[in-house]
Amino acid sequence: MFKYLLSKEEFDALTDEQKAFYKESGGNYQLQIEGMPDIPDVSGMKKKMDELLAEKKAEQEKRQQAEDAAKKAAEEQARKNGDIESLEKSWAEKLKARESELLAQLQEKDTSLHTLLVDNVAQTLATKLAGDAAPLIMPHIKSRLSVEEGKTRVVDSAGHPSAFTIDDLEKEFRSNQLFAPVIIGSKATGTGGDGGKGKLPAGGGDKPKSANPLVDSAREIIANIQED
């Protein structure tokens, strides 16, 4: 079966009888079929397009060079004429642009650092303390963490710096009766593992209320399970 269009390599591989059916067209070889128009030669158009693209790129480079040269010349002229105001304006624009660029980079790094040193640490500790109930306690842990000099720091309940370590913070949450219903190891008694002595009734009674309603709901559900 004859192909309609052949490359030069394909054409050279044909026999002389087969070559007679083809005609060179734009660097390729086209099968001669009566009534079928020749494929237009677009090689010249492609070459012209490449030339235009090259000219456009060169023009853009020249324009940029001209703009840079004009700015430099204006600064030099202002310096010679003692036009301090124009010179200061030019430098102020450059500094403002650079400042915005650096500020964006700094904010991006701060976000990444906070995620690494606060969010991840809080998630790890919350999971260790409460397992599947970690989402209930995680916001409270995050409020006690901050970043200082590239390190995770524990703050007090008012947000002030403290000497607490992560281990100290873990012990504090384990001993806090507000979170006893969700803390692993405290669920059996609801009072930090005292064998059920002093277990608070499911109805609430004198049980202290949490600032987080989710913790109160979890406490009541676990207490009801214990009574069943």
Side-chain angles (χ1 to χ4, degrees):
M1 181 180 293
F2 289 97
K3 291 179 62 176
Y4 181 65
L5 192 65
L6 298 178
S7 65
K8 187 176 185 307
E9 292 76 12
E10 292 174 322
F11 177 79
D12 291 340
L14 298 178
T15 64
D16 291 339
E17 291 79 5
Q18 292 172 330
K19 289 180 180 179
F21 292 100
Y22 287 87
K23 177 182 178 181
E24 194 276 334
S25 176
N28 294 316
Y29 291 85
Q30 177 184 339
L31 180 65
Q32 298 303 294
I33 301 176
E34 186 176 352
M36 179 71 71
D38 292 342
I39 295 177
D41 183 4
V42 296
S43 58
M45 185 183 300
K46 183 177 183 302
K47 182 179 179 181
K48 184 63 176 178
M49 184 177 296
D50 291 339
E51 290 176 355
L52 291 174
L53 289 174
E55 289 178 3
K56 181 180 179 180
K57 182 178 180 181
E59 182 63 27
Q60 289 176 337
E61 292 177 351
K62 288 181 181 178
R63 185 180 304 150
Q64 185 61 49
Q65 292 174 357
E67 290 178 358
D68 293 342
K71 289 181 181 179
K72 184 176 180 181
E75 290 179 0
E76 292 179 351
Q77 187 63 39
R79 191 177 291 108
K80 290 180 180 178
N81 296 339
D83 190 354
I84 304 301
E85 182 178 352
S86 297
L87 190 60
E88 288 181 346
K89 181 179 179 180
S90 175
W91 276 106
E93 291 175 352
K94 290 182 179 180
L95 290 174
K96 184 177 181 180
R98 181 56 176 166
E99 182 182 4
S100 298
E101 180 183 350
L102 292 176
L103 182 59
Q105 293 176 2
L106 185 60
Q107 289 175 340
E108 182 179 355
K109 290 181 179 180
D110 283 346
T111 299
S112 299
L113 193 62
H114 190 276
T115 299
L116 179 65
L117 299 180
V118 173
D119 294 2
N120 289 357
V121 172
Q123 178 65 56
T124 299
L125 181 54
T127 302
K128 181 180 180 181
L129 288 170
D132 293 339
L136 293 175
I137 198 173
M138 185 173 172
H140 301 281
I141 296 176
K142 284 180 64 175
S143 69
R144 297 292 303 278
L145 300 177
S146 67
V147 178
E148 181 182 333
E149 297 179 353
K151 297 181 180 180
T152 304
R153 297 294 186 188
V154 179
V155 298
D156 61 21
S157 58
H160 301 141
S162 74
F164 268 37
T165 65
I166 299 298
D167 289 340
D168 294 331
L169 185 62
E170 178 183 348
K171 293 176 183 178
E172 178 184 325
F173 273 85
R174 287 191 182 280
S175 62
N176 191 327
Q177 295 304 305
L178 290 175
F179 302 108
V182 297
I183 298 295
I184 296 174
S186 298
K187 295 180 182 179
T189 64
T191 57
D194 60 355
K197 299 176 182 178
K199 180 175 67 175
L200 295 175
D206 297 329
K207 183 189 304 178
K209 291 293 184 180
S210 167
N212 189 333
L214 293 177
V215 173
D216 293 330
S217 298
R219 179 188 293 119
E220 291 178 7
I221 291 172
I222 294 172
N224 290 331
I225 293 174
Q226 291 171 349
E227 289 198 348
D228 291 340

